[in-house]
Amino acid sequence: MPSSYAAAASGSPSSSRKPIPVAAASTRQPAPSPAAAPAAPSPSNPSGISDSDPSSYSSSGEETDLTSSDPAAASVVSSYLSVAGDGADLSKVGIFLSSAARRRSPPCLICFDPIRPSDPVWSCSASCFAALHLHCIQSWAHQSASAAPSPTWGCPKCRFPYPKSETPTSYLCFCSKTVDPAPDPWILPHSCGDICGRHLNANRDSGCEHTCLLLCHPGPCPPCPAIVPNARCFCGSRRETRRCSHQRYSCLGKCNKRLGCGIHRCPVDCHDGPCPPCAVLGNHKCECGETMEERLCSERVFQCKRECGGMLECGKHSCERGCHAGKCGECPLQGRRTCPCGKKDYPSLDCDAEASTCGSTCEKVLGCGRHKCHERCHRGLCVETCRLVITKSCRCGCLKKEVPCYQELTCERKCPRMRNCGRHACRRRCCPGDCAPCPEVCDKRLRCGNHKCASPCHRGACAPCPLMKTISCNCGQTFFEVPCGTEKNQKPPKCSKKCNTARLCRHKLECRNRLPQPHKCHYGACPPCKLICGEELSCGHRCHGPIAPPNPEFTLKPIKRKKEKHIDCTPGTPCPPCQEVVLVPCFGQHLGQERAILCSKKRQFPCQNLCGNPLDCGNHYCTKACHVLQIPLSQPEGDQSAIQSLASASAFAEPCEECDLPCQRVREPSCSHPCPLPCHLDDCPPCKVLVKRPCHCGAMVHAFECMYYNNLNAKEQQKVRSCGGPCHRKLPNCPHLCSEICHPGQCPSVDQCMKKVNVRCACNTLKKEWICQDVLKEYRRSGCDPKQIPKNQYGIGLLACGEDCMKKVRAAESELHLRKTQEIKSSVVEVENVPKRKKRRNRGPERVESSKFQEIKAFALKCLLVIFLFIVVVAGLYLLWKGVYWLSDWMNEMEEQRVRQRHLKPGRM
């Protein structure tokens, strides 16, 4: 099956001998890349048609014997070769026959699916001979014919227009003789196996009436091989016996035919078609004979720019024409004369006399073509603009209005119809219905996936991509073209040329003897050099590895496969990086953190430890991550040389962090206050913080310097804290205060208080003064705890009551009894004098007497409430009056608008 029916013959027909070359004329210069897509067909292939199967043929210049390629193809051309003999020319049809003999599956240009031998197809018989699926081309034709303004559709490949009546309806063979040809393995796919018999239309202009001698075949018919005796050349001066397809020829002699001037003969070589204009220079006069110019013989008849100015036959008027030959002619004013409107005749009026007006209405048709001039007969043109007021309709018919006849009426309505593309609205103001074609660009992604549709916006599917992609070998001398979008599934052609890739390794002469024999063109690098490099690297080591594998730039990388691993070196380039393993320390030179790294990738690195370098304070260490040490400028020379091995001159060097912690030393002598200075190396200064300590009795608070107070011993601190005054602390067993000087610890006079206490009997009648320590002894003797005695009861009840106490008690009791009896009597008398309360049902409403101020206040509030209600009523009436007036004005305005609209409607009609 042909690999692509979208292919065409490359180059002009050439007469070749057996064996017949299939595609020998397709050789080109090397292509830049296998996937490069040309913008247009190459000069050697002007039709832009080629085979789409890379393995079906190659254009490497090697001839292929078509008769030995396949028995089916040999049977197709056998009858033609028997007639043509050595003059057989199958350069155009050979591509289709060779690909069809191999039964390849070319893609359909509409659906991009492969065409199988059993699929119904349609072949373009006008130009490109592309084969497409029958159902695909039927759908294509229906969509194209319905979207186009004219009922035509074009071939998806060559765009040749077909009328709608030629839409394919059935599956025909290539010669269109057999309907639904049955597949036969002994003949070409989609062929009926009979003689083609199509007229050789390419030669019918020269009188060829022969038919094609090949069996039913794809592609164009070959040139007519018949012999024509006495074939004349283009100029007719020579006769030869030639092939029918080449019976029109040039004898390469002078044409010598008489040119159009009738004076000179054609100086061009024997050519086809009419002779060129005569190019002999000469001096020639214009038609009036007043001007002479140097001109070509073919342009000898010309007119000058001067007016004629001669007298007409009347002898009264001059000729107003330009340069002309012959007489000036008759006067146009002679003969029948009429008035300006043409209603009255003046048969005997002289040409120099002016015709008078008739006085009737002019009635000439005005420029509008509908009305006549209503003025009296007049000279000159009628009024250009017809001002008669008529009722006109706009172009879309939505508006009618009385306007002057000359004025065009258009409305502001935008057309809502869809354009012929079916995607965009017309949106033209006052559209008469003939919406213009859509001016937008389609810009849809084509089926090829590489380009967008550049056609105007249209209905249906877009046309296939017209571009072709070139698939070439590595050297570029063997190539083929495929439709755009199918290049991803194509394999590069097999080239039989020798590989011309130059060796890129450093010892070309030494490894040349070890290479295989010269091989054919291929993708990828040639077999690698097996010798060891041995060059000295910049690090001091030597390159001991072989030359790197091939450069991926010269390797064919299919798109669907995974990309190969990137290689850093190629033959002919500098040696690969050093692969020796060395131990590299970290930035901070920490022990045990060295790493084994390739020499070419040797560089210091930060480890996972902290820096740990002592800070300037001498108390802490650097907590940064491992970094390159930096030698400070203030470092002494001896220390600088000591840490030079730890420091690096790299640009990444950075100083250790600055210690910003406060001083954390323990002070001597010990103190609870921190040192106010930042972290330092020397001793801390003396603590000057004031420490507050109360005296022993709590009467006052002393303030001491922390250093002074902490340097005293315990006895001295107790002594310093004494205030020197009385203790003033309450004794625990009695309500009195300590009378000793301020002292630490428990008061010494707890049980020896010498204060005087008033002691009383239980009834407070007897009273004596005792010493406090005797009162404590009495309480302890009686079994009472002095601490539980309240202060106001201290000393009461210690004395025993006497006779005076009893008398006093009796007198008090008798007086109390007398007072109780008097109270009882007085309460009875008061109860008897109180009147009884009335029952609830007999009681009337109780009167609440109000003051004068309350009455005045209530009256004022009532007056204010009345005034407020009056103001609210007045305001409501005022607003109601305003609202009625506003409603009346609004109704008047609406009535005026309604009247105005009623007067405007007849004008619009």
Side-chain angles (χ1 to χ4, degrees):
M1 192 172 192
S3 61
S4 174
Y5 290 158
S10 59
S12 60
S14 60
S15 60
S16 56
R17 309 240 178 221
K18 291 181 181 180
I20 301 169
V22 177
S26 299
T27 304
R28 311 189 160 174
Q29 297 297 328
S33 64
S42 63
S44 63
N45 190 11
S47 62
I49 305 171
S50 63
D51 192 7
S52 63
D53 188 3
S55 60
S56 62
Y57 80 99
S58 65
S59 56
S60 60
E62 296 183 354
E63 295 184 352
T64 305
D65 191 358
L66 187 62
T67 58
S68 62
S69 61
D70 186 84
S75 64
V76 171
V77 300
S78 59
S79 59
Y80 178 83
L81 294 177
S82 63
V83 177
D86 295 340
D89 184 8
L90 298 176
S91 58
K92 292 185 178 181
V93 72
I95 298 174
F96 294 90
L97 293 178
S98 60
S99 58
R102 288 171 175 80
R103 285 172 168 77
R104 301 294 180 183
S105 299
C108 175
L109 294 180
I110 298 178
C111 63
F112 281 86
D113 292 337
I115 299 177
R116 298 175 178 82
S118 59
D119 293 342
V121 297
W122 172 85
S123 178
C124 176
S125 59
S127 175
C128 63
F129 303 96
L132 308 169
H133 286 120
L134 181 62
H135 62 276
C136 291
I137 193 63
Q138 288 175 345
S139 176
W140 176 273
H142 289 309
Q143 292 181 7
S144 301
S146 61
S150 59
T152 60
W153 56 276
C155 173
K157 176 62 182 175
C158 62
R159 304 297 194 274
F160 183 82
Y162 289 91
K164 190 175 181 180
S165 59
E166 294 187 14
T167 302
T169 57
S170 59
Y171 171 35
L172 301 177
C173 63
F174 294 115
C175 63
S176 301
K177 294 179 181 178
T178 305
V179 180
D180 295 333
D184 191 345
W186 299 105
I187 60 176
L188 297 180
H190 316 293
S191 173
C192 62
D194 297 335
I195 295 178
C196 178
R198 287 182 286 184
H199 287 283
L200 303 177
N201 297 328
N203 301 323
R204 297 188 72 177
D205 296 338
S206 60
C208 177
E209 297 293 339
H210 305 102
T211 57
C212 180
L213 299 177
L214 298 179
L215 298 183
C216 184
H217 63 90
C221 295
C224 182
I227 302 298
V228 178
N230 299 328
R232 300 180 62 180
C233 65
F234 294 123
C235 64
S237 61
R238 186 175 178 180
R239 294 177 180 271
E240 290 182 1
T241 301
R242 300 179 66 87
R243 297 279 183 183
C244 182
S245 58
H246 302 296
Q247 60 178 315
R248 298 286 292 170
Y249 67 97
S250 174
C251 64
L252 302 181
K254 296 296 181 182
C255 179
N256 207 22
K257 290 182 181 179
R258 184 76 66 179
L259 296 177
C261 63
I263 303 173
H264 307 98
R265 293 186 177 273
C266 180
V268 185
D269 293 341
C270 181
H271 61 87
D272 191 13
C275 296
C278 183
V280 179
L281 290 174
N283 294 326
H284 304 281
K285 288 186 178 181
C286 64
E287 290 186 1
C288 66
E290 296 293 334
T291 305
M292 179 174 288
E293 294 181 2
E294 184 179 9
R295 286 176 166 267
L296 297 177
C297 183
S298 59
E299 301 175 356
R300 63 185 182 278
V301 179
F302 68 98
Q303 293 179 344
C304 64
K305 297 182 180 179
R306 192 181 65 86
E307 293 185 359
C308 178
M311 295 300 295
L312 300 177
E313 291 182 358
C314 67
K316 298 178 182 180
H317 299 94
S318 59
C319 180
E320 296 179 355
R321 292 191 298 169
C323 178
H324 64 88
K327 295 181 180 181
C328 292
E330 297 181 356
C331 179
L333 299 179
Q334 287 182 343
R336 182 176 176 272
R337 302 279 300 280
T338 61
C339 65
C341 68
K343 295 181 179 179
K344 187 175 182 181
D345 293 337
Y346 299 99
S348 60
L349 192 64
D350 295 335
C351 65
D352 57 346
E354 193 177 56
S356 60
T357 59
C358 63
S360 63
T361 305
C362 179
E363 294 186 354
K364 288 183 180 179
V365 179
L366 298 178
C368 65
R370 301 171 60 185
H371 306 101
K372 295 181 179 180
C373 180
H374 58 276
E375 296 182 1
R376 290 186 178 275
C377 181
H378 60 87
R379 295 183 179 87
L381 299 176
C382 297
V383 180
E384 296 182 359
T385 56
C386 180
R387 300 185 178 276
L388 184 64
V389 178
I390 60 174
T391 301
K392 276 190 174 183
S393 298
C394 64
R395 290 181 297 187
C396 64
C398 295
L399 177 64
K400 288 186 179 181
K401 188 177 181 181
E402 290 184 355
V403 293
C405 182
Y406 72 91
Q407 183 177 347
E408 185 179 1
L409 179 61
T410 57
C411 65
E412 297 297 323
R413 179 178 175 271
K414 293 183 179 180
C415 181
R417 301 185 188 93
M418 298 299 292
R419 296 183 185 266
N420 56 354
C421 64
R423 296 170 57 190
H424 304 99
C426 178
R427 306 300 295 170
R428 189 172 60 169
R429 295 184 184 276
C430 195
C431 179
D434 53 342
C435 300
C438 184
E440 302 290 336
V441 179
C442 179
D443 206 34
K444 289 182 181 178
R445 181 71 65 178
L446 297 178
R447 290 291 301 273
C448 65
N450 301 327
H451 307 95
K452 291 184 178 180
C453 181
S455 304
C457 191
H458 57 85
R459 290 179 181 268
C462 298
C465 184
L467 301 180
M468 303 292 290
K469 296 286 186 178
T470 301
I471 308 296
S472 64
C473 64
N474 189 25
C475 65
Q477 298 185 22
T478 303
F479 64 92
F480 62 91
E481 292 183 343
V482 296
C484 180
T486 61
E487 69 276 4
K488 297 179 180 180
N489 301 325
Q490 304 296 336
K491 296 180 180 179
K494 296 179 181 180
C495 181
S496 59
K497 302 293 183 181
K498 293 182 180 180
C499 178
N500 55 4
T501 304
R503 299 298 302 168
L504 300 177
C505 62
R506 59 183 292 266
H507 25 64
K508 303 177 182 178
L509 298 177
E510 299 178 13
C511 68
R512 181 174 297 174
N513 299 328
R514 305 190 182 188
L515 286 176
Q517 295 296 327
H519 47 282
K520 294 183 180 181
C521 173
H522 62 90
Y523 272 100
C526 295
C529 178
K530 302 297 182 181
L531 299 178
I532 295 177
C533 181
E535 283 193 4
E536 184 176 357
L537 302 176
S538 59
C539 61
H541 304 108
R542 286 189 176 273
C543 181
H544 56 275
I547 293 297
N551 185 3
E553 181 181 356
F554 300 99
T555 305
L556 178 65
K557 296 182 294 184
I559 296 178
K560 293 186 177 180
R561 296 181 183 177
K562 293 184 179 179
K563 294 184 178 181
E564 298 179 1
K565 187 176 181 180
H566 180 68
I567 301 174
D568 295 334
C569 60
T570 57
T573 58
C575 293
C578 182
Q579 302 297 318
E580 291 288 341
V581 178
V582 294
L583 293 178
V584 181
C586 66
F587 285 149
Q589 302 286 340
H590 295 112
L591 297 178
Q593 296 298 327
E594 295 83 1
R595 292 183 185 177
I597 305 177
L598 295 178
C599 183
S600 58
K601 300 180 180 179
K602 178 179 63 176
R603 60 181 181 84
Q604 286 186 313
F605 59 91
C607 66
Q608 300 297 327
N609 298 332
L610 300 179
C611 175
N613 190 43
L615 300 180
D616 296 337
C617 66
N619 301 324
H620 304 95
Y621 298 92
C622 179
T623 59
K624 282 186 177 181
C626 181
H627 64 92
V628 181
L629 301 180
Q630 185 182 40
I631 302 175
L633 298 177
S634 60
Q635 193 76 17
E637 189 67 26
D639 297 342
Q640 191 173 13
S641 60
I643 65 173
Q644 182 67 35
S645 60
L646 301 178
S648 175
S650 171
F652 299 101
E654 57 177 328
C656 293
E657 62 182 355
E658 296 290 338
C659 183
D660 54 355
L661 298 175
C663 180
Q664 298 177 354
R665 289 190 171 194
V666 180
R667 288 188 168 188
E668 293 294 339
S670 61
C671 173
S672 61
H673 304 106
C675 180
L677 299 178
C679 186
H680 56 90
L681 187 60
D682 302 331
D683 295 335
C684 297
C687 183
K688 299 294 184 180
V689 180
L690 294 178
V691 180
K692 294 182 178 181
R693 295 290 184 268
C695 65
H696 303 301
C697 62
M700 62 182 301
V701 177
H702 299 280
F704 308 101
E705 286 187 0
C706 181
M707 180 183 176
Y708 165 75
Y709 186 79
N710 290 333
N711 286 334
L712 300 177
N713 53 26
K715 290 184 178 181
E716 292 176 346
Q717 289 179 357
Q718 294 292 339
K719 184 177 180 180
V720 170
R721 288 180 59 182
S722 176
C723 63
C727 181
H728 292 295
R729 283 187 291 180
K730 181 180 176 298
L731 296 177
N733 297 327
C734 65
H736 304 113
L737 301 178
C738 180
S739 60
E740 299 290 334
I741 302 299
C742 182
H743 59 87
Q746 188 178 5
C747 294
S749 57
V750 175
D751 296 329
Q752 298 179 3
C753 181
M754 302 302 293
K755 298 288 184 178
K756 292 182 178 181
V757 179
N758 292 324
V759 180
R760 297 177 180 271
C761 64
C763 61
N764 289 332
T765 304
L766 301 179
K767 177 182 177 183
K768 290 184 179 180
E769 287 186 356
W770 287 8
I771 298 175
C772 183
Q773 58 181 352
D774 296 338
V775 175
L776 293 175
K777 292 178 181 179
E778 184 64 23
Y779 273 122
R780 289 190 182 96
R781 187 182 60 81
S782 60
C784 296
D785 188 3
K787 296 180 180 180
Q788 297 179 356
I789 303 299
K791 184 179 181 179
N792 56 354
Q793 297 294 328
Y794 190 73
I796 298 176
L798 293 179
L799 297 179
C801 292
E803 294 180 357
D804 297 336
C805 295
M806 297 301 293
K807 292 180 180 179
K808 187 176 181 180
V809 169
R810 293 191 191 104
E813 290 179 354
S814 61
E815 184 179 355
L816 180 61
H817 181 72
L818 180 61
R819 188 181 302 168
K820 288 182 178 181
T821 55
Q822 291 178 356
E823 289 179 358
I824 292 171
K825 291 180 180 180
S826 60
S827 61
V828 172
V829 173
E830 289 178 357
V831 168
E832 291 177 356
N833 295 331
V834 172
K836 292 183 179 180
R837 298 183 64 183
K838 295 181 179 181
K839 293 183 179 180
R840 182 179 297 273
R841 59 187 178 182
N842 297 332
R843 282 184 292 171
E846 297 181 358
R847 279 190 174 184
V848 178
E849 296 183 0
S850 59
S851 63
K852 193 69 174 179
F853 174 75
Q854 291 179 349
E855 293 178 357
I856 295 173
K857 180 179 178 181
F859 179 76
L861 289 175
K862 291 179 181 179
C863 294
L864 290 176
L865 180 60
V866 172
I867 293 171
F868 176 74
L869 292 176
F870 177 76
I871 293 173
V872 169
V873 171
V874 172
L877 293 175
Y878 176 76
L879 292 177
L880 179 63
W881 175 70
K882 282 289 185 181
V884 171
Y885 268 88
W886 177 82
L887 181 62
S888 177
D889 294 342
W890 179 75
M891 293 178 66
N892 292 336
E893 290 180 1
M894 294 299 295
E895 186 66 24
E896 290 177 0
Q897 291 181 2
R898 195 177 296 107
V899 172
R900 198 181 301 116
Q901 291 178 359
R902 191 180 303 114
H903 287 296
L904 288 176
K905 285 183 179 179
R908 294 183 180 178
M909 299 300 289

